[in-house]
């Protein structure tokens, strides 16, 4: 009779929650490296060499700084500078896949779209960045200009306000009067595919 196969234990990385063999393909391999050096050195032998070289360089730099600087006997002053650079790296928001998330600029973009050769729709994007509730804004715009106004998702999956009719130049004054948090310098028009300031 054949022996019963034993279950295989898979070693998972706590930093990226992937098996140790796949850490290099994860969202942030740099965070996984210290754990891999301690727990799975046989999977990535290059990491062990790299860590030893870095440690040797760090020790030699500390020895040099102790001999030259008079600030600290144990070299504590030079060791504080690498810690500040890592804190700046942690402030950057990382998305899955290692992409860096950009902050949205606070600006209102007004665009006029013509459909069926005669009908116009004025699209207002970016009011939510100034703390304006889009549902309230669409109601106010609809009442002020006596047109239909609704909140819809645009092509970039962000919500925007669609107002029926060509009200693009009248809307700037209405936005700045109704919501004083929105400066006129932050309002832009899209004309012929170019962004033009309203002010």
């Amino acid at each position: 009779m054949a022996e019963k196969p034993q279950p295989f234990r898979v070693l998972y990385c706590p930093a990226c929650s992937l098996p140790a063999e796949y850490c290099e393909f994860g969202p942030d391999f740099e965070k996984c490296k210290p754990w891999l050096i301690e727990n799975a050195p046989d999977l990535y032998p290059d990491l062990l060499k790299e860590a030893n070289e870095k440690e040797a360089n760090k020790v030699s730099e500390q020895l040099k700084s102790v001999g030259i600087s008079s600030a600290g006997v144990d070299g504590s002053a030079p060791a504080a500078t690498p810690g500040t650079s890592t804190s700046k790296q942690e402030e950057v928001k990382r998305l899955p896949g290692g992409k860096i998330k950009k902050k949205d600029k606070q600006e209102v973009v007004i665009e006029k779209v013509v459909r069926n050769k005669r009908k116009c729709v004025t699209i207002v994007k970016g009011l939510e960045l100034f703390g304006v509730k889009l549902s309230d804004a669409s109601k106010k715009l609809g009442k002020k200009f006596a047109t239909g106004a609704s909140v819809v998702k645009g092509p970039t999956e962000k919500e925007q306000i669609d107002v029926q009719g060509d009200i693009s130049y009248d809307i700037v004054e209405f936005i700045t009067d109704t919501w004083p948090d929105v400066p006129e310098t932050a309002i832009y028009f899209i004309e012929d595919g170019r962004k033009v300031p309203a002010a």
Side-chain angles (χ1 to χ4, degrees):
M1 191 173 203
E3 285 187 35
K4 188 176 179 182
Q6 295 297 318
F8 185 75
R9 288 191 50 87
V10 179
L11 189 64
Y12 287 98
C13 173
C16 66
S17 71
L18 292 173
E21 296 87 15
Y22 295 102
C23 277
E24 63 184 316
F25 305 111
D28 199 0
F29 187 50
E30 293 298 319
K31 289 181 182 176
C32 301
K33 283 182 180 180
W35 183 85
L36 288 170
I37 291 169
E38 283 182 31
N39 298 310
D42 53 323
L43 290 174
Y44 298 99
D46 295 339
L47 284 181
L48 205 58
K49 290 177 188 173
E50 189 178 304
N52 289 338
E53 287 175 10
K54 281 184 182 178
E55 223 171 281
N57 288 340
K58 207 181 268 186
V59 168
S60 65
E61 283 180 26
Q62 285 180 345
L63 287 173
K64 287 178 185 177
S65 65
V66 168
I68 296 172
S69 87
S70 60
V73 178
D74 61 333
S76 58
T81 51
T84 55
S85 64
T86 56
S87 65
K88 286 180 185 175
Q89 289 173 353
E90 289 173 11
E91 288 174 12
V92 175
K93 175 83 173 162
R94 288 199 173 265
L95 296 174
K99 294 181 183 175
I100 297 172
K101 184 175 182 180
K102 293 181 181 177
K103 261 191 167 179
D104 290 333
K105 289 183 180 177
Q106 280 198 327
E107 60 186 20
V108 176
V109 178
I110 299 168
E111 182 179 4
K112 183 179 87 169
V113 178
V114 179
R115 58 181 180 85
N116 296 343
K117 296 182 185 174
R118 296 178 358 182
K119 307 273 184 182
C120 289
V121 176
T122 304
I123 301 171
V124 182
K125 304 175 196 172
L127 273 177
E128 74 277 358
L129 298 173
F130 292 95
V132 178
K133 271 185 90 174
L134 293 183
S135 57
D136 296 341
S138 68
K139 285 179 188 174
K140 287 181 181 178
L141 286 167
K143 283 182 183 176
K144 167 71 177 170
F145 297 107
T147 61
S150 61
V151 178
V152 295
K153 282 201 178 198
T156 59
E157 294 298 316
K158 289 186 178 179
E159 290 188 334
Q160 62 189 27
I161 300 174
D162 284 2
V163 184
Q164 293 178 9
D166 183 11
I167 58 164
S168 55
Y169 288 99
D170 301 330
I171 202 169
V172 175
E173 188 178 331
F174 177 72
I175 288 173
T176 53
D177 291 344
T178 310
W179 299 286
D181 294 343
V182 182
E184 196 170 343
T185 55
I187 300 175
Y188 294 92
F189 290 113
I190 292 185
E191 294 176 354
D192 302 326
R194 291 180 292 121
K195 203 185 277 189
V196 180

